[in-house]
C-alpha cells in the first residue's frame, strides 16, 4: 500500500500482517526507535482527540518526529485561501508521511494523488475513516478471537457516520458475518454500502428495536449522532432514539462486547463501575488499540 485512503484497499493478508505487528507493540510496550529520522505531518481540518494524538504518540514511540496543525482550517494557510492541493505539495516535501482529516469527502484521495509521500485518511467528511475501522476490526478480533461468523449490530447515525461505513467494508472481507443496522429513519446506512455487502455475500438487515437485538449479537457497535453534519431538526429527532443504559445492557449475552469509536455523548449511559469492571464494555480498550494499530500502520507505510 502506498497510501491508505479507504478500507477496501486492505486484503486479509495485509490486515493480519498489521495485526501481527500491532500484537508485538501491544505486548512489549518497549519500542525500538525504528522510525528515527522520519517525520510525520498531521494535518487536521476537523477536530480530533484520539486519531491525532494516537498517530502522534505512535510516531514518537517509534523514535520519529511530528509536525502538526491541530486546527488546519483556522491556523494553516487554508485560511488565506490556499488550496489543499498546494498545501499537500508543500508539506510532502517536509514530511515522510501525512495523516490528514478533512471535512469534505474525497479530499484524502485528492491529497494522495498529489503527495510525494504516503497519505493516510484520518477521516474525510461523511466518507471513510479507515484507520478507525482497522482498529475496530482488531478489537473485535482480540475480544472475540475471530473475524468470521459474527453477528454485529451497528447502531446510530449510519448516514453520516464514516466509521460505520469503513467497518462494513472490512467486515465484508470475512465470511459468515451478519450485520444488523439500527438507525433513526432519516439516518439509515446508504445504498452504496448495502450494495457492497450484497456483492460480497454479507447478510444484513435493518431493525428498529435495539432491546430485541441485544441478546442475539456478539458485537454492538454504537455510534454518535453526528450533530455537525446534519440539521438541528434532524439531530433533535434522532437524539436519544438508540441508547445503551444499565437496563438494556443487561440484555447482552455475557460474551458480547460494546464498541464505540468515541467520542460518545448520550448514546451510552453506563455507571462508571460497569464501564470499569464489566468486560462487555470494550470501547476504552478499543481506543488503546488505536495506538498499536497506528504504530503498525506507520511502519507498514514508511519502512
Ligand atoms: N474515533 C475518532 O475518530 O475520534 P477522534 O475524533 O477523537 O479522533
Amino acid at each position: 500500500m502506498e497510501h491508505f485512503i479507504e478500507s477496501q484497499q486492505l486484503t486479509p493478508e495485509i490486515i493480519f500482517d498489521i495485526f501481527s505487528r500491532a500484537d508485538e507493540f501491544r505486548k512489549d510496550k518497549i519500542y525500538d526507535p525504528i522510525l528515527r529520522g522520519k517525520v510525520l505531518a498531521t494535518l487536521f481540518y476537523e477536530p480530533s482527540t484520539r486519531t491525532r494524538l494516537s498517530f502522534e504518540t505512535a510516531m514518537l514511540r517509534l523514535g520519529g518526529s511530528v509536525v502538526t496543525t491541530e486546527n488546519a482550517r483556522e491556523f494553516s494557510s487554508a485560511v488565506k485561501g490556499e488550496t489543499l492541493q498546494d498545501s499537500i505539495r508543500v508539506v510532502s516535501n517536509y514530511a515522510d508521511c501525512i495523516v490528514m482529516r478533512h471535512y469534505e469527502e474525497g479530499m484524502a484521495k485528492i491529497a494522495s494523488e498529489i503527495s510525494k509521500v504516503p497519505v493516510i485518511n484520518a477521516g474525510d467528511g461523511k466518507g471513510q475513516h479507515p484507520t478507525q475501522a482497522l482498529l475496530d476490526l482488531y478489537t473485535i478480533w482480540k475480544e472475540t478471537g475471530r473475524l468470521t461468523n459474527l453477528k454485529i449490530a451497528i447502531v446510530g447515525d449510519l448516514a453520516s457516520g464514516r466509521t460505520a461505513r469503513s467497518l462494513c467494508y472490512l467486515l465484508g472481507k470475512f465470511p459468515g458475518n451478519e450485520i444488523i443496522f439500527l438507525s433513526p429513519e432519516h439516518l439509515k446506512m446508504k445504498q452504496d454500502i448495502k450494495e457492497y455487502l450484497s456483492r460480497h455475500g454479507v447478510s444484513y438487515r435493518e431493525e428498529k428495536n435495539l432491546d430485541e437485538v441485544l441478546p442475539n449479537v456478539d458485537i454492538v457497535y454504537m455510534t454518535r449522532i453526528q450533530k455537525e453534519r446534519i440539521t438541528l431538526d434532524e439531530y433533535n429527532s434522532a437524539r436519544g432514539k438508540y441508547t445503551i443504559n444499565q437496563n438494556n445492557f443487561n440484555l447482552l449475552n455475557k460474551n458480547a462486547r460494546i464498541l464505540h469509536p468515541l467520542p460518545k455523548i448520550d448514546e451510552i449511559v453506563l455507571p462508571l463501575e460497569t464501564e470499569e469492571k464489566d468486560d462487555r464494555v470494550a470501547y476504552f480498550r478499543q481506543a488503546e488499540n488505536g495506538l498499536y494499530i497506528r504504530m503498525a500502520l506507520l511502519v507498514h507505510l514508511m519502512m
Side-chain angles (χ1 to χ4, degrees):
M1 266 197 323
E2 196 184 343
H3 305 279
F4 187 32
I5 305 302
E6 49 190 26
S7 290
Q8 304 92 298
Q9 286 175 254
L10 297 176
T11 60
E13 193 186 359
I14 298 176
I15 290 170
F16 283 116
D17 184 54
I18 293 172
F19 284 6
S20 133
R21 210 183 292 266
D23 273 350
E24 287 168 26
F25 293 137
R26 190 174 191 249
K27 181 162 57 81
D28 293 350
K29 306 247 166 93
I30 297 169
Y31 315 111
D32 291 332
I34 49 181
L35 295 183
R36 184 183 286 149
K38 304 265 187 199
V39 175
L40 177 73
T42 51
L43 280 179
F44 276 63
Y45 294 83
E46 270 193 343
S48 165
T49 297
R50 277 146 291 275
T51 312
R52 188 171 70 85
L53 294 184
S54 62
F55 263 118
E56 293 183 359
T57 306
M59 190 63 182
L60 296 172
R61 292 254 187 242
L62 291 169
S65 308
V66 175
V67 290
T68 184
T69 62
E70 69 175 279
N71 180 355
R73 203 168 180 174
E74 201 176 331
F75 295 120
S76 76
S77 286
V79 83
K80 302 176 203 162
E82 184 172 57
T83 62
L84 177 76
Q85 287 87 333
D86 280 0
S87 297
I88 294 294
R89 219 169 258 131
V90 170
V91 175
S92 72
N93 283 321
Y94 302 158
D96 299 287
C97 181
I98 298 172
V99 177
M100 191 185 102
R101 172 170 288 184
H102 203 279
Y103 48 90
E104 263 183 50
E105 185 173 348
M107 291 312 257
K109 175 123 184 53
I110 288 172
S112 74
E113 286 160 2
I114 286 158
S115 178
K116 296 175 193 161
V117 299
V119 171
I120 300 174
N121 180 6
D124 62 328
K126 293 184 183 181
Q128 285 215 34
H129 191 349
T131 70
Q132 178 69 46
L134 193 56
L135 77 90
D136 295 341
L137 196 74
Y138 180 71
T139 304
I140 292 171
W141 186 55
K142 297 315 289 181
E143 297 283 334
T144 68
R146 66 190 201 275
L147 291 177
T148 57
N149 301 313
L150 290 158
K151 278 194 179 176
I152 301 154
I154 302 186
V155 187
D157 177 356
L158 307 184
S160 329
R162 56 197 177 197
T163 68
R165 292 172 54 76
S166 287
L167 182 59
C168 284
Y169 284 119
L170 291 190
L171 292 172
K173 292 185 181 283
F174 298 91
N177 292 325
E178 187 181 331
I179 301 178
I180 301 134
F181 294 124
L182 295 108
S183 65
E185 197 56 32
H186 57 296
L187 298 175
K188 283 183 166 182
M189 182 54 83
K190 289 192 191 140
Q191 203 54 31
D192 61 333
I193 296 291
K194 293 177 182 169
E195 282 166 12
Y196 175 90
L197 294 174
S198 298
R199 272 201 314 279
H200 289 79
V202 182
S203 148
Y204 73 85
R205 63 179 198 276
E206 290 173 320
E207 293 283 353
K208 289 191 183 338
N209 189 323
L210 179 60
D211 289 4
E212 282 175 13
V213 168
L214 289 178
N216 303 311
V217 291
D218 304 296
I219 300 287
V220 183
Y221 188 85
M222 295 296 291
T223 66
R224 173 177 71 89
I225 304 298
Q226 306 256 312
K227 189 177 185 180
E228 68 277 29
R229 304 196 200 284
I230 56 180
T231 65
L232 193 58
D233 280 351
E234 286 173 324
Y235 178 71
N236 286 333
S237 65
R239 194 178 171 192
K241 267 220 150 65
Y242 291 104
T243 58
I244 297 278
N245 52 42
Q246 190 65 67
N247 292 332
N248 63 4
F249 179 77
N250 289 326
L251 297 171
L252 284 168
N253 183 301
K254 68 176 171 33
N255 293 320
R257 293 290 184 268
I258 299 185
L259 270 65
H260 192 307
L262 304 178
K264 64 182 168 67
I265 312 300
D266 49 11
E267 62 280 0
I268 300 181
V269 187
L270 289 173
L272 186 62
E273 195 182 350
T274 306
E275 286 198 319
E276 286 185 344
K277 295 200 176 136
D278 197 309
D279 280 347
R280 291 174 293 182
V281 173
Y283 35 87
F284 292 114
R285 294 192 295 279
Q286 179 186 1
E288 181 185 342
N289 288 337
L291 174 63
Y292 313 124
I293 282 292
R294 287 176 174 131
M295 290 172 83
L297 184 65
L298 291 177
V299 172
H300 185 86
L301 289 172
M302 275 197 272
M303 290 200 48

